[in-house]
Amino acid sequence: MAIVIGFDIHREQVTFDALDDVTGEIQRGRIAPADRFALRRFLASLPTGQVDVALEATTGWRFIVEELAAAGATAHLAEPAETANLRGRKARAKTDRTDARHLRELLQQGRLPEAWAPPEEILELRQRVRLRKTLVDERTAWQQRIHALLFHHGIQRPRALLTREGRALLAELELSPSARQALDVALAMIDACEAQLAPLDRELRHYAHRQAGCVALMRLFGVGALTSAAILAELGDARRFSSSRQAVRFAGLDITVYSSDARRSPGRLSRQGSSVLRWAVYEAAQTAARSGSPDHAYYLSLAARLGKSRAKLALARKLLRRAHHILSELGDAALCPAT
């Protein structure tokens, strides 16, 4: 290595710690503002030669990796949680400068816990999938506000709230002026979310039916076009996980264990991972739990012992392990652009 740099990324500035391996000279400073043009000026000021940069896979890493690649430098994405664990106990104050130096030292020593950098195709798919999940969550939140409003006024909500019949019943309710206003705003926001969701859903379905990884995932009972796109976008290159158990842990579907002496707390979901992936496989599990599914008997046996919710979580883990094996066997073809 000729120049080794650690970047600590923030919205207003990027703190750097750079070491010239040949001369031993260390440079520290800030790149401000934290945008493409300031980063280009900094990279242009570096001496010619090999440049390796370590940065955490947090918000803002995408444009930095793109600019590093354009400048001929090598980017090393660090997994944030594991990088923090390697710091050990805090003996001194934590600052941006020490964070940048920590990343640079880990890269120089060959101890940097590197994360996977998705290709452009997967990054674009991930952006669309997460946008859809945000819209779905927003729509659900407004529905829950309507439920709370009706209950607050002692009104039993219609069984199908957003159907034509349900909306007709809502229009006939006797409500106070402020409650009627709140109801109208909530329905308008739901309509706005659905207006944005409709073309996005069409686009994702069209993509899923033309992309090899999504087509392979849709062979799993319960996995449709939308959920297959979400699983592919979040799981990415499944070969980076040494086992399907690691893929389950990546989704935050693993069960935590805390045991000391004779005490052992009940296990719970870690929820430390991709919330979109966790949501997608659970949606698939709810379909796979129905009668007619090849996993229906498995679900019934678990539901009798653990309850329906835990049985569906177990089924979600099983589907995710299958998805891991399918994408691993496909290899590079699983990440190819849609035809």
Side-chain angles (χ1 to χ4, degrees):
M1 293 184 184
I3 299 178
V4 187
I5 306 175
F7 276 172
D8 186 52
I9 308 170
H10 294 279
R11 294 185 186 274
E12 300 299 326
Q13 50 83 24
V14 176
T15 303
F16 68 87
D17 187 293
L19 168 68
D20 190 321
D21 250 3
V22 178
T23 64
E25 180 184 1
I26 295 179
Q27 292 185 351
R28 299 185 179 95
R30 293 183 174 182
I31 304 169
D35 60 18
R36 290 182 181 271
F37 305 105
L39 181 60
R40 287 173 188 173
R41 289 194 297 268
F42 169 77
L43 295 175
S45 68
L46 296 175
T48 56
Q50 183 178 352
V51 177
D52 288 84
V53 181
L55 66 155
E56 289 185 335
T58 54
T59 302
W61 69 263
R62 180 175 178 175
F63 87 92
I64 293 180
V65 169
E66 290 172 352
E67 292 299 324
L68 289 173
T74 303
H76 301 266
L77 274 183
E79 206 287 324
E82 294 184 21
T83 301
N85 288 337
L86 291 174
R87 185 186 305 277
R89 289 189 175 184
K90 294 181 182 178
R92 299 178 181 82
K94 177 184 178 298
T95 65
D96 297 343
R97 293 182 65 177
T98 58
D99 287 345
R101 183 179 64 194
H102 179 57
L103 286 167
R104 189 260 299 166
E105 289 175 346
L106 289 177
L107 178 59
Q108 187 182 11
Q109 297 164 7
R111 299 171 54 226
L112 187 74
E114 296 200 26
W116 180 64
E120 184 73 16
E121 177 83 6
I122 300 300
L123 282 174
E124 289 296 303
L125 177 62
R126 184 177 291 179
Q127 189 80 22
R128 293 188 177 95
V129 164
R130 292 181 178 180
L131 174 60
R132 182 185 182 275
K133 179 64 165 58
T134 300
L135 290 170
V136 169
D137 289 344
E138 189 69 21
R139 181 182 62 185
T140 301
W142 283 107
Q143 289 177 341
Q144 292 171 343
R145 289 186 181 99
I146 294 177
H147 296 167
L149 175 69
L150 297 180
F151 178 67
H152 189 59
H153 287 77
I155 301 171
Q156 186 176 8
R157 65 181 175 88
R159 174 170 265 179
L161 189 68
L162 300 180
T163 62
R164 183 177 301 176
E165 295 77 10
R167 288 182 180 245
L169 290 173
L170 290 176
E172 296 172 359
L173 294 177
E174 294 183 3
L175 297 170
S176 66
S178 62
R180 173 58 61 182
Q181 182 182 27
L183 178 59
D184 291 342
V185 169
L187 290 173
M189 295 302 295
I190 290 173
D191 290 340
C193 289
E194 290 184 341
Q196 298 296 326
L197 275 169
L200 188 57
D201 284 356
R202 286 196 299 269
E203 182 181 354
L204 287 172
R205 286 193 178 97
H206 183 61
Y207 176 90
H209 287 292
R210 297 182 298 114
Q211 206 279 335
C214 293
V215 170
L217 288 174
M218 282 189 283
R219 297 182 188 132
L220 293 173
F221 193 98
V223 177
L226 296 176
T227 48
S228 69
I231 292 171
L232 178 67
E234 296 297 322
L235 199 58
D237 189 353
R239 294 170 297 179
R240 61 195 172 111
F241 303 109
S242 60
S243 66
S244 59
R245 182 177 297 179
Q246 285 193 1
V248 171
R249 181 177 298 176
F250 174 76
L253 284 170
D254 56 318
I255 304 299
T256 60
V257 176
Y258 182 85
S259 177
S260 178
D261 196 17
R263 293 181 298 177
R264 182 184 177 94
S265 62
R268 297 185 178 181
L269 281 184
S270 70
R271 299 182 186 275
Q272 295 179 356
S274 171
S275 60
V276 177
L277 178 58
R278 193 161 57 246
W279 166 79
V281 294
Y282 188 77
E283 287 290 309
Q286 293 194 80
T287 303
R290 297 173 183 171
S291 59
S293 165
D295 293 313
H296 184 61
Y298 171 77
Y299 163 74
L300 290 178
S301 65
L302 289 178
R305 291 188 295 110
L306 305 174
K308 293 182 179 180
S309 296
R310 289 188 176 182
K312 287 178 181 178
L313 285 172
L315 189 52
R317 285 189 283 270
K318 191 172 186 178
L319 287 174
L320 183 53
R321 287 194 291 268
R322 290 174 182 168
H324 168 266
H325 292 309
I326 289 173
L327 295 178
S328 296
E329 290 175 4
L330 276 177
D332 292 335
L335 306 176
C336 287
T339 56

